[in-house]
């Protein structure tokens, strides 16, 4: 793991520990990570000392593990084990798609398509997989400039329509050959840092909903004077202290040159971005239609593991501690997550 990301995780105080203490059982089958997404204290107003922790329990592939029983969880506050209630809730996920529209995106992609068409198809399939009842989506584009093409909405069909019919097709020309990758990601993080739309149901669960920024691009950042990788990490650290935002990067096009007037894709910064943020990089390309179809299905599987996180566990208990700071620990078997709270 990159050193900067280690620092970020230590700041938000979410850690995974493997306890080998006597009397502690082995980890529940398949549990790889426990995430405390948010903690409500005295919510709704007047309910203190009730404390609710919103928790994701992930397997080795990063998918949510459903159907865990209450006895598989242990909640500790200041080291004391607390009696608690566990409910599994469908809270939804938020997906923000970020598509590169710089001029090189009209170069050769998979057979019969340019790179932009490959990004359109994959982004469309992702949006159409989301639930209109619980999930939200939004769309940004970037070349030299960063543009909000469709604001956050539960109407995923409207986002899909913009993907296919409204986004300006990449053209090679003044201002369109630049790839402002870091500016685009920075603005996406800023957009997801607080509820960008006035919706009471979204606002009520926004803090603990898992969020993904999915970037489709063929090139590294080549805009000088804009935001940097360090700016993106600082923005994540400042605006998303509980680590609810994941970043996935998808490289389109070939890293080899095919024919005159073409330019090889360069995924250096996409891979770097995924590494810095503990996300995933995926190369969407195939030398023939069969390979391209397989790659698209595999990408759908990777992103499907994220959308499985629309379900979370709510762990509710009555605090017995006096006012002040306290360490909250949630364990499933031997895998734990800790977070500092203020009572």
């Amino acid at each position: 793991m990159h050193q900067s990301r280690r620092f970020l995780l230590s700041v938000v105080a979410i850690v995974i520990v493997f306890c080998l203490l006597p009397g502690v059982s082995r980890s529940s089958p398949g549990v790889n990570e426990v995430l405390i997404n948010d903690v409500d204290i005295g919510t709704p107003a007047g309910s203190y000392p009730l404390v609710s922790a919103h928790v994701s329990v992930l397997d080795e592939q990063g998918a949510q593990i459903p159907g865990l029983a209450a006895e598989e969880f242990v909640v500790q506050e200041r080291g004391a084990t607390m009696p608690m209630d566990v409910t599994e809730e469908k809270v939804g996920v938020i997906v923000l798609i970020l598509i590169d529209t710089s001029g090189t995106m009209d170069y050769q992609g998979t057979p019969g398509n340019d790179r932009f068409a490959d990004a359109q198809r994959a982004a469309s399939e992702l949006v159409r997989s989301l639930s209109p009842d619980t999930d939200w989506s939004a769309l940004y584009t970037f070349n030299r400039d960063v543009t909000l093409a469709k604001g956050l909405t539960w109407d995923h069909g409207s986002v899909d329509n913009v993907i296919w019919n409204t986004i300006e097709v990449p053209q090679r020309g003044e201002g369109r050959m630049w790839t402002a990758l870091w500016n685009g990601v920075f603005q996406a993080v800023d957009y997801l840092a607080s509820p960008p739309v006035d919706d009471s149901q979204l606002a009520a669960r926004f803090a603990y909903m898992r969020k993904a920024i999915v970037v489709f691009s063929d090139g590294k950042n080549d805009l000088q004077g804009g935001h940097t990788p360090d700016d993106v990490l600082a923005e994540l650290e400042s605006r998303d202290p509980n680590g609810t935002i994941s970043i996935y990067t998808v490289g389109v096009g070939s890293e080899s040159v095919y024919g005159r007037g073409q330019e090889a894709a360069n995924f250096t910064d996409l891979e770097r971005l995924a590494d810095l943020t503990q996300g995933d990089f995926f190369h969407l390309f195939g030398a023939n239609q069969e390979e391209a179809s397989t790659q698209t299905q595999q990408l759908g599987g990777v992103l499907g593991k994220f959308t499985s996180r629309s379900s979370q566990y709510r762990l509710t208990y009555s605090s017995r501690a006096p006012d002040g700071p306290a360490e909250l620990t949630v364990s499933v078997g031997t895998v734990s997550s800790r977070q500092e709270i203020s009572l």
Side-chain angles (χ1 to χ4, degrees):
M1 187 189 302
H2 191 278
Q3 194 66 32
S4 298
R5 190 59 177 173
R6 287 200 186 101
F7 175 74
L8 175 61
L9 293 178
S10 66
V11 170
V12 301
I14 299 176
V15 298
I16 302 172
V17 295
F18 294 91
C19 305
L20 299 177
L21 299 176
V24 177
S25 64
R26 299 289 299 174
S27 176
S28 295
V31 176
N32 184 65
E33 189 170 12
V34 175
L35 302 173
I36 301 176
N37 299 313
D38 193 49
V39 179
D40 292 332
I41 300 173
T43 302
S47 64
Y48 186 79
L50 282 183
V51 177
S52 293
H54 304 275
V55 175
S56 296
V57 183
L58 310 182
D59 63 18
E60 292 183 355
Q61 303 302 315
Q64 173 77 356
I65 299 176
L68 294 178
E71 55 266 23
E72 297 184 71
F73 291 87
V74 175
V75 172
Q76 293 178 305
E77 183 184 80
R78 292 179 177 168
T81 299
M82 311 299 294
M84 45 81 188
D85 294 322
V86 177
T87 56
E88 190 171 1
E89 302 176 331
K90 188 80 168 179
V91 301
V93 295
I94 297 174
V95 175
L96 187 153
I97 295 172
L98 188 61
I99 298 181
D100 183 352
T101 57
S102 62
T104 57
M105 287 289 283
D106 76 346
Y107 289 162
Q108 178 66 46
T110 57
N113 292 317
D114 57 31
R115 299 168 184 178
F116 181 67
D118 288 339
Q120 280 180 302
R121 184 180 67 254
S124 174
E125 290 186 10
L126 171 58
V127 166
R128 288 186 284 111
S129 73
L130 300 175
S131 168
D133 297 323
T134 55
D135 300 334
W136 291 70
S137 59
L139 175 65
Y140 268 87
T141 63
F142 67 100
N143 40 69
R144 179 183 61 185
D145 303 312
V146 181
T147 303
L148 177 62
K150 182 64 179 178
L152 198 64
T153 179
W154 51 265
D155 183 2
H156 309 303
S158 67
V159 179
D160 192 39
N161 182 63
V162 173
I163 290 172
W164 286 112
N165 300 312
T166 305
I167 298 178
E168 189 175 357
V169 177
Q171 299 174 356
R172 304 170 210 180
E174 183 65 28
R176 299 302 301 276
M177 297 303 289
W178 300 106
T179 304
L181 173 64
W182 302 117
N183 284 359
V185 176
F186 185 93
Q187 289 195 33
V189 171
D190 184 68
Y191 186 76
L192 292 183
S194 58
V197 295
D198 184 15
D199 183 280
S200 58
Q201 291 187 347
L202 175 65
R205 63 183 192 272
F206 186 87
Y208 52 86
M209 291 176 73
R210 302 299 303 182
K211 308 165 187 72
I213 297 171
V214 185
V215 185
F216 294 89
S217 179
D218 69 340
K220 66 179 182 179
N221 183 87
D222 56 11
L223 182 69
Q224 302 300 315
H227 287 295
T228 67
D230 287 342
D231 292 336
V232 171
L233 283 176
E235 186 73 353
L236 279 168
E237 182 180 320
S238 171
R239 304 299 304 279
D240 184 38
N242 287 345
T244 62
I245 298 176
S246 302
I247 300 180
Y248 298 83
T249 59
V250 183
V252 292
S254 173
E255 293 178 285
S256 300
V257 177
Y258 290 92
R260 297 179 59 184
Q262 297 290 305
E263 182 178 311
N266 187 325
F267 304 136
T268 302
D269 283 343
L270 293 178
E271 293 170 335
R272 183 182 184 190
L273 176 60
D275 179 59
L276 288 174
T277 59
Q278 274 200 325
D280 289 312
F281 168 78
F282 190 92
H283 185 194
L284 181 61
F285 182 75
N288 53 56
Q289 290 291 353
E290 183 178 356
E291 287 184 9
S293 177
T294 299
Q295 287 293 306
T296 301
Q297 292 175 4
Q298 290 178 352
L299 174 61
V302 170
L303 297 178
K305 293 180 176 64
F306 170 79
T307 57
S308 73
R309 303 180 193 180
S310 62
S311 293
Q312 295 184 21
Y313 295 96
R314 178 194 290 263
L315 282 55
T316 304
Y317 69 94
S318 294
S319 176
R320 300 171 184 170
D323 293 350
E327 182 179 77
L328 174 67
T329 302
V330 176
S331 303
V332 181
T334 59
V335 184
S336 302
S337 180
R338 298 173 181 168
Q339 186 165 318
E340 294 293 329
I341 61 175
S342 181
L343 299 171

